[in-house]
Amino acid sequence: MSHGDWKDMFLGVQNNDLELVQFYIKMGIDINYQHPEFMTSPLIESISCRHPQMTAMLLQNGASPTIHEAGSNKSPLKIARELKNIEAIKILNQYLESGQQNISDSTVASLSRKPTMKAAICTKYGGPEVLKIQEIAKPFPENNEILIKIIATAVNSGDVRVRGLAVEGLMKIIMRLVLGISKPRKPVLGTVYAGIVESVGPSVSKFEVGDKVFGMTGFNFGTYAEYVAVNEKSNAATMPGNTTFEEAVSLIFGGQTAIYFLEKAKIREKLNPTILIIGATGSVGTAAVQLAKFFGAEVTAVCSSAGLMLMKTLGVTNIILYDKDDFTQTTKKFDIIFDAVGKTTKSQCEKLLAKDGIYKTVGGLEYASESQQQLELIKELSEKGEYKAVIDKTFSLDNVVEAHQYVDTGRKKGNVILKISDDTSLNY
């Protein structure tokens, strides 16, 4: 075979053209040759291009996993590890450990099928029963992405609001336009995650395989699943060192929402402000209580009698039990009023505001945007013991319907966790 034929075959490897490469192999081309222009072998090129089926097929047809690259003098396995190419590492390890001359046909066949994962799909807008467990395509990390094996996520108020399209009037039309007319365009709900980086794209520098991470996907959703791929520059960070996966994931939604609204209320600019937090026992409320105390505020919490002990546990001494007293009748004035459940209006609370006081609610048109800075603050405060996880119940992914039913009752205290996996090992 001519060098021109070899170069055409090599381009076939780069383009993942299995039929073309197989044609040249049948014609007797030397697939272990390293052309002086390319200084690498077809096997190593398939690894560099992240073509796992091509890698397996070349091994099956006699490509040597022990020939070092002419340009770098590195073995195929070393290059796969440097590139963090998990699929290639698996294939090479299987081949080398088995001592076989050829990788099995079953392995090649399995690589031709796209890997799948389990996920909860929102099939349409409605009650919890619209959520169905299905097998869908497992994501693959692109150039700047990390693939995360999710260990835990959470069911928060935003999730149930999207699932049930639980808004009124004009907002229902706006949400349909944004999210999908008859069902969510992105059917895998869930906005927070805690898990382990399983693989990374070739340009990733911020995270490494094996890192424990947590973060929020926002309107990209996707965390009611075994895996999620996110940009390394997205709202993601390594987990607080003092938390479990369940604890870490419980900090995010409430924490980032609370930070956003408290900062919009200018809490950092006020000296020893007084704050009234309505709905203080939910995921946002428990976060707001702790963060407001961190910012130096004097906190008054509004909750039911069932939440009294939780508030005392969080160090709140000023507590109004709404099932016993009407909080709007208190004579105290507040620099900030924050409705963490969206059940009040500014007109209902206006007489409780001090001069230049600010009212904020999660129930209005203002959307709490999340940021990397918020996540880093959450991590810092968690590690200092200033912000602690509050977990009510934990459900498995298979019981996602029951989890949503419980959140729909409005009785949850803190966070409801979805445990996606008990296995914290990586699938190398």
Side-chain angles (χ1 to χ4, degrees), residues 70-332:
S72 68
N73 199 34
K74 296 176 182 177
S75 70
L77 185 56
K78 181 175 179 60
I79 289 173
R81 286 173 173 162
E82 287 181 349
L83 293 174
K84 301 171 185 175
N85 186 337
I86 303 302
E87 291 83 1
I89 293 171
K90 290 179 187 177
I91 295 165
L92 290 164
N93 279 338
Q94 180 191 11
Y95 185 88
L96 293 167
E97 290 170 4
S98 68
Q100 298 173 357
Q101 293 300 310
N102 292 304
I103 198 163
S104 66
D105 288 332
S106 62
T107 297
V108 177
S110 69
L111 288 166
S112 67
R113 297 188 297 269
K114 290 185 177 180
T116 61
M117 66 177 180
K118 187 162 68 173
I121 304 296
C122 185
T123 57
K124 59 183 179 180
Y125 298 120
E129 68 281 355
V130 303
L131 297 170
K132 307 293 182 184
I133 302 296
Q134 297 180 11
E135 287 286 326
I136 63 172
K138 179 181 175 181
F140 181 82
E142 300 295 339
N143 192 46
N144 295 304
E145 290 184 331
I146 57 175
L147 178 67
I148 300 162
K149 179 179 180 179
I150 300 177
I151 305 300
T153 182
V155 179
N156 56 55
S157 58
D159 298 333
V160 299
R161 189 176 296 119
V162 170
R163 183 216 73 224
L165 207 66
V167 290
E168 301 296 331
L170 180 62
M171 276 303 295
K172 194 176 289 286
I173 297 173
I174 293 173
M175 280 187 69
R176 285 187 186 274
L177 292 174
V178 172
L179 301 174
I181 301 302
S182 61
K183 61 182 180 180
R185 294 188 191 92
K186 297 178 179 178
V188 181
L189 302 184
T191 60
V192 294
Y193 60 84
I196 305 170
V197 177
E198 181 167 286
S199 61
V200 301
S203 297
V204 169
S205 59
K206 184 178 176 182
F207 298 98
E208 295 183 353
V209 171
D211 283 348
K212 296 179 179 180
V213 295
F214 75 145
M216 177 180 275
T217 59
F219 278 123
N220 287 322
F221 301 106
T223 67
Y224 287 5
E226 292 179 309
Y227 293 90
V228 67
V230 302
N231 191 290
E232 70 165 335
K233 295 181 180 179
S234 66
N235 190 19
T238 54
M239 276 172 40
N242 59 336
T243 64
T244 65
F245 292 101
E246 294 88 345
E247 290 169 340
V249 82
S250 74
L251 301 173
I252 305 167
F253 175 76
Q256 295 204 276
T257 302
I259 290 170
Y260 173 85
F261 281 106
L262 293 177
E263 290 187 334
K264 284 293 183 179
K266 302 179 180 179
I267 193 168
R268 292 179 187 263
E269 301 174 18
K270 300 177 184 293
L271 181 63
N272 301 321
T274 54
I275 181 170
L276 179 71
I277 299 176
I278 303 165
T281 57
S283 59
V284 177
T286 53
V289 165
Q290 296 180 77
L291 293 165
K293 287 168 64 68
F294 169 76
F295 289 130
E298 178 190 308
V299 175
T300 298
V302 177
C303 65
S304 69
S305 297
L308 178 61
M309 289 308 299
L310 174 58
M311 288 298 98
K312 288 184 176 180
T313 299
L314 295 180
V316 181
T317 54
N318 302 322
I319 305 169
I320 301 174
L321 304 177
Y322 67 75
D323 52 349
K324 292 186 176 180
D325 297 297
D326 181 357
F327 74 89
T328 64
Q329 299 306 307
T330 183
T331 57
K332 190 170 183 176

Side-chain angles (χ1 to χ4, degrees), residues 328-381:
T328 64
Q329 299 306 307
T330 183
T331 57
K332 190 170 183 176
K333 300 292 184 179
F334 300 93
D335 298 305
I336 299 170
I337 296 177
F338 176 42
D339 183 350
V341 287
K343 298 293 187 182
T344 66
T345 63
K346 184 177 181 180
S347 60
Q348 289 176 294
C349 301
E350 201 153 21
K351 67 179 182 179
L352 304 181
L353 286 172
K355 184 181 179 181
D356 300 322
I358 297 175
Y359 169 88
K360 289 291 178 181
T361 178
V362 299
L365 296 178
E366 188 174 6
Y367 172 72
S369 59
E370 66 274 355
S371 69
Q372 179 70 33
Q373 290 75 20
Q374 292 170 353
L375 196 62
E376 293 293 348
L377 177 59
I378 287 170
K379 177 181 177 179
E380 177 187 345
L381 295 183

